[in-house]
Amino acid sequence: MTSETITAESSGTWHLGDLPVRRVGFGAMRLTGSAAFHLGTPSDRERSLAVLRRAVELGVNHIDTAAFYFSSLRSANELINSALAPYADDLVIAAKVGPYRAWSGEWGTSARPEDLRAHVEENLRQLGRDHLDVVYLRRMRQDSIADHFGALAELRAAGLIRHLGVSDVEPRHLAEAQAIAPVVCVQNRYGLGFHDPATDQLLARCREQGIAFVPFYALAGEEGPRGGASTAHEEEVRAVAGAHGVSPAQVRIAWTLHQGPHVLAIPGTGDPGHLAENVAAGALRLTDGELARLDAARTG
């Protein structure tokens, strides 16, 4: 089979609460333009819409987005709404709240607990929905997330949110949130090009508790999203890629998925060809020797 014929079903399935999702999903951040934030050059609208529609055709049923994903002319949520509404019954859309950007593109003061309802309602408005399947509280350096997460738990009880997650957290924050309401997913930076022992501990805790772990920037290195796909450990990654006849990015996605059945991938792209490759990475099976080689390169 070629990348164009491999679907997200090949990656397997996990549940976000009671919602089954394929383990390869789609991150909407890069749909809006050349820069993830700080505006950049806006994307071609029709191409972005085509990427979203093709993702669903390839079996993707988990899309990660946020109201603060936008460029000067493009909003990720508006693109999702235009491309995919009315939404398929099995499509799960996860949004993040907490950070705030003014319409000029500049970052503003992150949300206080009492602001979060407006953040949720803005995502609902842009997506054209009456509830959000999953909402992550993105921690913005605060020491405690109890008040913010408690505010989201109230919105969940009111029916605006179905399931809750936390993002950019330490293990202690997960425990803090779980004392308030169920947590079905955790989203932290994680990948071959980035090693943080605290996040490794969080990954293991999620595995023990059956919580989905959803890495962001899995294809980025130490420099973060502005650098795109990582060049760190490239020799090892390229060697494994060559042995399988795939791209280095596909190896990075496959390595991420091999970290446990509870690990989901949400690679994002505005390129239809890259989309097909990313989805096809869910079918790539690495050997124990290859995984050990990549692990050593990551922690060495």
Side-chain angles (χ1 to χ4, degrees):
M1 292 190 295
T2 67
S3 292
E4 292 295 333
T5 61
I6 298 173
T7 72
E9 292 181 6
S10 64
S11 65
T13 299
W14 192 255
H15 282 74
L16 298 176
D18 61 344
L19 302 173
V21 295
R22 275 127 202 175
R23 293 180 63 218
V24 172
F26 182 82
M29 181 175 67
R30 296 191 180 277
L31 279 179
T32 65
S34 63
F37 304 113
H38 311 294
L39 301 182
T41 303
S43 63
D44 179 86
R45 176 176 169 77
E46 292 306 316
R47 188 182 192 190
S48 293
L49 295 174
V51 166
L52 283 163
R53 291 171 181 141
R54 183 58 179 156
V56 172
E57 290 173 358
L58 288 171
V60 170
N61 68 343
H62 172 211
I63 295 178
D64 182 88
T65 187
F68 52 85
Y69 290 170
F70 62 87
S71 66
S72 57
L73 295 177
R74 304 283 177 261
S75 154
N77 282 351
E78 186 277 327
L79 289 167
I80 292 167
N81 189 348
S82 295
L84 302 179
Y87 301 106
D89 290 342
D90 69 337
L91 181 64
V92 175
I93 299 178
K96 286 174 290 298
V97 296
Y100 172 75
R101 290 173 73 202
W103 294 120
S104 65
E106 296 300 316
W107 291 101
T109 303
S110 56
R112 299 180 298 272
E114 59 269 26
D115 298 329
L116 288 174
R117 184 181 185 105
H119 283 223
V120 168
E121 289 179 344
E122 181 63 12
N123 279 280
L124 290 170
R125 184 191 67 78
Q126 293 177 3
L127 290 164
R129 306 195 74 174
D130 60 7
H131 75 280
L132 296 173
D133 298 317
V134 179
V135 171
Y136 291 94
L137 172 66
R138 176 63 182 264
R139 184 174 74 97
M140 299 299 289
R141 295 181 296 278
Q142 65 263 45
D143 184 63
S144 170
I145 64 171
D147 290 344
H148 288 76
F149 194 79
L152 290 184
E154 292 177 3
L155 297 178
R156 174 177 173 266
L160 296 183
I161 301 170
R162 190 159 178 178
H163 296 294
L164 296 174
V166 290
S167 176
D168 201 24
V169 295
E170 301 171 14
R172 64 188 177 91
H173 298 117
L174 173 59
E176 188 176 36
Q178 288 176 307
I180 298 169
V183 175
V184 305
C185 45
V186 173
Q187 188 175 101
N188 269 31
R189 183 177 175 185
Y190 181 84
L192 260 175
F194 178 77
H195 182 222
D196 174 36
T199 300
D200 288 348
Q201 179 185 353
L202 191 58
L203 171 72
R205 186 165 299 182
C206 288
R207 181 187 301 114
E208 294 165 0
Q209 299 184 23
I211 297 171
F213 185 83
V214 190
F216 61 83
Y217 300 161
L219 299 184
E222 297 291 342
E223 73 280 4
R226 294 186 184 183
S230 174
T231 58
H233 322 302
E234 198 63 28
E235 181 178 347
E236 300 292 346
V237 173
R238 286 189 179 278
V240 174
H244 288 272
V246 299
S247 71
Q250 287 176 297
V251 171
R252 293 179 184 278
I253 294 170
W255 178 88
T256 300
L257 293 173
H258 276 71
Q259 303 312 301
H262 66 304
V263 179
L264 310 181
I266 50 168
T269 182
D271 182 285
H274 290 163
L275 168 70
E277 286 188 359
N278 291 344
V279 172
L284 179 58
R285 303 295 182 257
L286 304 178
T287 68
D288 290 343
E290 289 167 339
L291 288 169
R293 182 176 181 178
L294 294 170
D295 289 344
R298 175 175 181 259
T299 58

